[in-house]
């Protein structure tokens, strides 16, 4: 095991030609002169934008959000919390007192007893009607049973007569079928079979004669003509066409080959070789030079941007130091030595007494609002009590005074009759010590 760390491999330096060394220094000088002002302006804009964001835009956004909240949201919150919600609660309580409570009392004291009375009356009427219907139903059932028995006896007699007549008719029809229709049908079947056999024999003979004539007058001559005339002529024509096609293909192939090689060498001599010479002798060297210049220009821009950053930082620090010595330090001295004592004097002589007066006004306002709420609550309680008394007077006028519940009988103490009670907290004897 190797405990020593192997040495890090150093990157192999890239081989540079004389053109690279000759182009690098002028390009970097020119790019540095062009990039330094741009970098200074860029850093100044970045610092200004950051200062504008932190000192102006962000506080302005917070102030605008607070103003929007105070103008658009807070009035609706106050309206909902201190107007709509109390008004809704008051209306709900008033609706409960004026609608729900009278409806419940009306249901309990009027509609429920009335419904019970109507239910009892309906049950009595239903019982009477049920008894009457049961009696009438029994009479109708007895009557219908008698009528049904009579109709059944009559229909049984009629059905027996019809059955005897239909059996006689069926027997006569059976004799006619057996002695008349069956022999006639058998004779007709024999005649039809003979006629069918004769027609089949005639058709089969005609078919065989037509088939024989067609075979020897049409098919056999056509086959002979195809085998001995058309087939040799067709083969000779096909061989002739194939030979002519090969000849035409050879002629056009030779012409095409000649044209191809002629055009190939013409284009190569007139177009390809000059383009190849231009590419190798002009474009490739110019491209290499441009590549070297472009690479060096890009590297010079990067180097110049970093150097310009250091220059811009040094300039910025110098300007910040100058601004601090010429503006910030005098302002800080004026703030500490003049404005702070003046502000403390204003706070002790003006702001604190004004705050105390405002707190006193707030306390008086809160007490006034509390007294107003208490008076409103008492007024609402008095109105509720008046409504309750008015409802009780209306019920008493319509239905009379409510009946007092009868007292429940007191249960007698369990135990042996005549036996003394057990010891209580006020007695001095017990059941064990008493004689």
């Amino acid at each position: 095991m190797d405990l020593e760390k192997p040495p890090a491999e150093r990157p192999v330096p890239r081989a540079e030609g004389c053109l690279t060394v000759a182009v690098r220094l002028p390009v970097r000088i020119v790019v540095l002169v062009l990039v330094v002002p741009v970098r200074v302006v860029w850093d100044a804009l970045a610092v200004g934008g950051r200062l504008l964001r932190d000192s102006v835009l962000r506080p302005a956004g917070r102030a605008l959000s607070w103003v929007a909240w105070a103008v658009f949201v807070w009035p609706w919150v106050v309206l909902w919390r201190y107007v709509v919600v109390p008004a809704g609660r008051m209306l709900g309580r008033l609706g409960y007192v004026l609608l729900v409570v009278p409806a419940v009392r009306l249901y309990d004291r009027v509609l429920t007893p009335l419904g019970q009375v109507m239910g009892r009356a309906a049950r009595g009427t239903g019982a009477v009607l049920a008894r009457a219907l049961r009696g009438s139903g029994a009479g109708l059932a007895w009557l219908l049973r008698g009528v049904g028995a009579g109709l059944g006896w009559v229909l049984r007699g009629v059905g027996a007569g019809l059955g005897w007549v239909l059996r006689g008719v069926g027997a006569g029809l059976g004799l006619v079928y057996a002695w008349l229709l069956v022999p006639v049908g058998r004779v007709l079947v024999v005649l039809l079979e003979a006629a069918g056999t004769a027609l089949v024999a005639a058709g089969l003979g005609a078919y065989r004669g037509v088939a024989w004539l067609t075979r020897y007058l049409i098919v056999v001559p056509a086959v002979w003509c195809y085998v001995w005339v058309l087939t040799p002529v067709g083969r000779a024509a096909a061989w002739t066409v194939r030979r002519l096609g090969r000849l035409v293909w050879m002629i056009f192939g030779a012409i095409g080959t000649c044209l191809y090689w002629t055009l190939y060498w013409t284009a190569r001599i007139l177009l390809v070789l000059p383009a190849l010479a231009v590419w190798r002798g002009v474009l490739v060297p110019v491209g290499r030079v441009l590549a070297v210049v472009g690479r060096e220009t890009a590297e010079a821009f990067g180097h110049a941007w970093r150097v310009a950053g250091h220059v811009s930082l040094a300039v910025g620090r110098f300007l910040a130091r100058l601004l601090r010595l010429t503006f910030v330090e005098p302002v800080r001295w004026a703030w500490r030595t003049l404005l702070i004592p003046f502000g403390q004097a204003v706070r002790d002589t003006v702001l604190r007494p004004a705050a105390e007066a405002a707190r006193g006004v707030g306390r008086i306002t809160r007490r006034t609002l509390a007294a107003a709420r208490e008076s409103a609550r008492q007024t609402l309680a008095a109105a509720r009590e008046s409504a309750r008394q008015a409802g009780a007077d209306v019920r008493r006028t319509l239905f009379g005074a409510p009946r007092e519940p009868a007292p429940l009988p007191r249960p007698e103490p369990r135990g042996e009759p005549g036996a003394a009670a057990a010891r209580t907290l006020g007695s001095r004897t017990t059941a064990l010590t008493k004689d």
Side-chain angles (χ1 to χ4, degrees):
M1 182 177 180
D2 191 5
L3 299 178
E4 296 182 357
K5 185 177 180 180
E9 296 181 0
R10 295 182 179 179
V12 179
R14 185 178 57 185
E16 298 178 350
C18 59
L19 180 61
T20 303
V21 177
V23 169
R24 180 177 300 168
L25 187 60
V27 168
R28 289 194 176 186
I29 292 173
V30 173
V31 170
L32 181 62
V33 172
L34 295 176
V35 168
V36 168
V38 176
R39 180 59 185 266
V40 172
V41 173
W42 175 263
D43 291 338
L45 292 176
V47 172
R50 195 178 298 114
L51 180 63
L52 180 65
R53 182 195 62 187
D54 296 337
S55 60
V56 177
L57 296 180
R58 187 173 293 172
R62 292 175 181 174
L64 287 176
S65 64
W66 183 84
V67 170
W69 170 266
V71 172
F72 295 105
V73 179
W74 180 247
W76 296 102
V77 173
V78 172
L79 180 64
W80 173 262
R81 186 178 298 174
Y82 296 104
V83 177
V84 176
V85 173
R89 290 177 180 174
M90 186 178 296
L91 289 175
R93 188 66 180 174
L94 187 62
Y96 179 78
V97 172
L98 296 179
L99 298 176
V100 178
V101 173
V104 172
R105 298 293 176 82
L106 178 64
Y107 178 79
D108 292 337
R109 302 300 174 83
V110 178
L111 298 179
T112 301
L114 183 61
Q116 293 176 356
V117 171
M118 292 178 67
R120 292 173 183 174
R123 284 196 296 272
T125 305
V128 173
L129 290 175
R131 291 177 182 176
L133 290 174
R134 279 199 298 271
S136 61
L140 288 174
W142 180 81
L143 180 61
L144 291 175
R145 281 198 298 271
V147 174
L151 289 175
W153 182 80
V154 172
L155 291 175
R156 280 197 299 272
V158 173
L162 288 175
W164 182 79
V165 171
L166 292 175
R167 280 197 299 273
V169 173
L173 292 175
L175 292 174
V176 171
Y177 175 77
W179 296 99
L180 180 62
L181 296 179
V182 171
V184 172
R186 290 177 179 176
V187 171
L188 289 175
V189 168
V190 171
L191 293 176
L192 290 174
E193 287 180 353
T197 303
L199 290 175
V200 169
L204 193 60
Y207 170 75
R208 289 178 178 177
V210 171
W212 185 82
L213 291 175
T214 302
R215 176 180 178 85
Y216 287 99
L217 293 179
I218 297 174
V219 177
V220 172
V223 170
W224 182 84
C225 182
Y226 175 77
V227 172
W228 298 100
V229 177
L230 296 179
T231 301
V233 173
R235 290 178 179 176
W239 182 83
T240 305
V241 171
R242 284 198 298 271
R243 295 300 178 182
L244 290 176
R246 289 181 181 179
L247 180 61
V248 171
W249 177 257
M250 291 174 63
I251 293 171
F252 281 103
I255 294 171
T257 304
C258 295
L259 290 176
Y260 168 74
W261 287 109
T262 303
L263 294 175
Y264 171 75
W265 284 108
T266 303
R268 182 176 179 84
I269 294 171
L270 297 179
L271 298 176
V272 176
L273 295 179
L276 184 62
V278 171
W279 171 262
R280 292 178 179 177
V282 178
L283 296 180
V284 171
V286 171
R288 290 176 180 176
V289 172
L290 293 177
V292 171
V293 172
R295 185 176 65 249
E296 292 299 326
T297 303
E299 293 179 358
F301 267 106
H303 181 72
W305 188 260
R306 292 190 293 271
V307 173
H310 292 290
V311 173
S312 176
L313 181 62
V315 172
R317 289 178 179 177
F318 172 74
L319 293 177
R321 181 80 175 176
L322 182 62
L323 181 64
R324 181 177 181 181
L325 293 177
T326 57
F327 181 73
V328 176
E329 292 296 335
V331 171
R332 182 184 296 176
W333 177 83
W335 175 263
R336 290 181 179 178
T337 57
L338 298 177
L339 296 179
I340 290 178
F342 179 74
Q344 291 176 354
V346 170
R347 182 190 62 189
D348 296 336
T349 57
V350 177
L351 297 180
R352 283 182 180 175
E356 292 294 335
R359 280 194 290 270
V361 172
R363 284 193 293 270
I364 294 171
T365 305
R366 285 194 297 273
R367 291 174 184 174
T368 305
L369 292 176
R373 284 196 297 271
E374 186 65 27
S375 63
R377 191 179 297 110
Q378 292 177 1
T379 303
L380 185 59
R384 191 183 303 115
E385 186 65 26
S386 298
R388 189 180 297 111
Q389 292 295 332
D393 294 339
V394 171
R395 288 194 302 273
R396 191 179 298 110
T397 302
L398 295 176
F399 308 105
R403 185 173 55 185
E404 296 292 336
L408 297 175
R410 186 175 182 182
E412 296 181 359
R414 298 180 180 179
E416 298 179 1
R423 179 183 177 183
T424 61
L425 295 176
S427 63
R428 296 181 179 180
T429 59
T430 62
L432 299 175
T433 59
K434 188 175 181 181
D435 296 337

